[in-house]
């Protein structure tokens, strides 16, 4: 703890820090995360490190998510759509389902690989304290777990081992925290998974009844027993995912419209910040006025940055734990 006649620093994790959530300090350390790419002087817009959490449970859950989505793709395409005799039925449903699946997986990647708003680790130094130019008597707070100055509304994640700005929760299915910078991608992920789950359920029902009418003759390239098992497992998966993601989507929209994270709601924290409610909250998270760009998980993804990260990996990845 550092203390002077004008500044006081308290090792407390909550309450109301005076440091603005917009304040940021560049850091080359991503505790519990992985830096992929070269380390040169400074972090420009094109060479910022890629964020990735090295958590075994999270990586298993993220892999399972991809496996289940790809399984649904296999059943929908090869068991239901391709054997269908109606060309337009196959084309339209295939284009719709596969497009949603691509958007869902892209949203999952953006959520997992985007820095959720981590506070630079170990920035509670005397030099940084003096650079804040605090007024006499002002109090800021330091996280005793990661030795960082805590911005307003930041909370410490024990899995990421970092303080996260506007942390909503840590989701193992995306192997990352949901916070200030990646919440929009998490909302899109839950929305697209709910949509493909509902679509898969509808297609399964149509396929099942159509196969019963023809007694499973020429209904699928698979045997009736295998087709039924694949459809049953797909329906169970779709019901589970639809229920979970629909609830999460509704919860996230409610939190955004009330400008209150799940942690703040559970801890019943009284707001000390200027709240952006309803459409203002949606604009703050998704950026700009309502448009189709809100539904695009590729928004803000720069090809030049991706190429630089790829080149950095070829030249030898650097890891920081």
């Amino acid at each position: 703890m550092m203390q002077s006649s004008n500044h006081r620093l308290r090792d407390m994790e909550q309450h109301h820090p005076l440091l603005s959530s917009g304040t940021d300090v560049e850091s080359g350390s991503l505790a519990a995360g992985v830096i992929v790419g070269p380390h040169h002087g400074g972090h420009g817009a094109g060479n910022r490190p890629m964020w990735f959490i090295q958590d075994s449970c999270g990586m298993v859950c993220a892999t399972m998510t991809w496996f289940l989505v790809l399984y649904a793709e296999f059943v929908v395409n090869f068991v239901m759509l391709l054997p269908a005799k109606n060309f337009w039925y196959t084309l339209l449903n295939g284009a719709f389902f596969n497009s949603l699946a691509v958007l869902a997986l892209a949203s999952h990647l953006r959520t997992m690989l985007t820095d959720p708003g981590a506070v630079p680790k170990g920035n509670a130094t005397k030099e940084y304290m003096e650079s804040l130019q605090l007024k006499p008597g002002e109090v800021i707070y330091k996280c005793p777990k990661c030795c960082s100055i805590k911005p307003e509304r930041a909370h410490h994640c024990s899995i990421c081992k970092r303080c996260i700005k506007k942390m909503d929760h840590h989701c193992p299915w995306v192997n990352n925290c949901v916070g200030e910078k990646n919440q929009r991608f998490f909302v899109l992920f839950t929305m697209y998974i709910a949509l493909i789950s509902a679509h898969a359920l509808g297609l399964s029902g149509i396929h099942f009844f159509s196969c019963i009418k023809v007694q499973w003759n020429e209904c699928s390239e698979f045997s009736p027993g295998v087709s039924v098992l694949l459809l049953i497992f797909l329906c169970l998966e779709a019901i589970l995912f639809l229920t979970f993601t629909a609830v999460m989507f509704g919860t996230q929209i409610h939190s955004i419209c009330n400008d209150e994270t799940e942690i703040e709601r559970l801890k019943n924290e009284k707001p000390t910040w200027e709240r952006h409610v309803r459409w203002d909250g949606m604009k703050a998270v998704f950026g700009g006025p309502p448009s189709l760009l809100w539904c695009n998980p590729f928004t803000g993804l720069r090809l030049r940055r991706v190429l630089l990260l790829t080149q950095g990996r070829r030249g030898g990845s650097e890891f920081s734990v």
Side-chain angles (χ1 to χ4, degrees):
M1 181 181 297
M2 295 161 291
Q3 195 170 31
S4 67
S5 58
N6 294 332
H7 308 147
R8 291 182 296 163
L9 181 62
R10 294 182 180 176
D11 286 332
M12 299 178 66
E13 186 172 354
Q14 297 303 326
H15 302 293
H16 309 290
L18 301 179
L19 185 61
S20 170
S21 61
T23 305
D24 199 0
V25 177
E26 297 292 347
S27 171
S29 167
L30 289 177
V34 178
I35 295 179
V36 180
H39 275 244
H40 302 297
H43 294 282
N47 62 351
R48 290 176 181 171
M50 181 181 292
W51 175 273
F52 182 75
I53 300 300
Q54 291 181 309
D55 175 59
S56 56
C57 177
M59 289 187 287
V60 169
C61 290
T63 303
M64 286 180 58
T65 301
W66 274 69
F67 171 78
L68 291 173
V69 173
L70 294 177
Y71 169 80
E73 287 250 44
F74 170 78
V75 176
V76 169
N77 289 316
F78 293 98
V79 177
M80 292 188 282
L81 294 182
L82 290 179
K85 296 181 180 180
N86 190 320
F87 172 78
W88 290 109
Y89 175 83
T90 299
L91 179 64
L92 295 177
N93 282 285
F96 184 71
F97 184 87
N98 288 291
S99 296
L100 290 179
V102 170
L103 291 172
L105 293 177
S107 301
H108 183 271
L109 277 179
R110 292 300 302 274
T111 307
M112 182 171 61
L113 301 179
T114 299
D115 180 353
V119 179
K121 186 180 180 182
N123 66 345
T125 62
K126 183 178 180 180
E127 293 75 14
Y128 179 59
M129 290 284 298
E130 292 176 349
S131 69
L132 294 178
Q133 298 181 348
L134 301 175
K135 298 178 181 179
E138 282 189 320
V139 179
I140 59 176
Y141 297 98
K142 183 184 78 173
C143 175
K145 299 177 182 178
C146 60
C147 298
S148 301
I149 301 297
K150 295 191 64 174
E152 188 175 31
R153 305 184 71 181
H155 295 84
H156 185 87
C157 175
S158 59
I159 299 176
C160 296
K161 296 181 174 63
R162 297 290 290 274
C163 284
I164 307 297
K165 301 175 189 174
K166 289 184 66 177
M167 175 181 170
D168 188 84
H169 68 286
H170 185 96
C171 179
W173 296 104
V174 297
N175 189 33
N176 202 1
C177 275
V178 177
E180 183 179 64
K181 295 182 180 179
N182 68 346
Q183 187 177 25
R184 62 166 296 183
F185 302 122
F186 182 75
V187 173
L188 292 179
F189 169 66
T190 57
M191 180 182 74
Y192 287 127
I193 290 294
L195 288 175
I196 64 173
S197 298
H199 192 200
L201 278 176
L203 291 175
S204 297
I206 295 173
H207 184 77
F208 184 78
F209 286 109
S210 63
C211 288
I212 290 179
K213 291 180 179 179
V214 296
Q215 297 181 350
W216 296 93
N217 296 323
E218 299 181 358
C219 187
S220 175
E221 295 181 359
F222 297 89
S223 64
V226 173
S227 298
V228 170
L229 287 177
L230 292 174
L231 288 174
I232 290 176
F233 188 79
L234 177 64
C235 289
L236 293 176
E237 174 194 342
I239 293 172
L240 180 63
F241 269 47
L242 175 60
T243 304
F244 175 74
T245 54
V247 170
M248 286 301 302
F249 177 78
T251 301
Q252 288 294 303
I253 295 298
H254 180 269
S255 297
I256 293 172
C257 291
N258 288 278
D259 196 11
E260 182 182 47
T261 66
E262 187 66 17
I263 292 179
E264 291 165 350
R265 185 186 69 82
L266 293 175
K267 292 187 175 182
N268 198 24
E269 295 182 5
K270 295 181 179 180
T272 59
W273 58 90
E274 182 181 356
R275 302 182 71 170
H276 300 281
V277 296
R278 297 182 176 84
W279 281 112
D280 289 336
M282 296 289 289
K283 292 176 184 178
V285 171
F286 288 91
S291 69
L292 290 177
L293 293 177
W294 281 17
C295 301
N296 182 11
F298 301 102
T299 302
L301 186 63
R302 298 181 180 179
L303 180 60
R304 178 173 176 268
R305 178 181 175 184
V306 175
L307 292 176
L308 286 173
L309 290 174
T310 305
Q311 292 174 0
R313 248 183 274 144
R314 291 175 181 173
S317 303
E318 297 184 11
F319 299 91
S320 175
V321 179

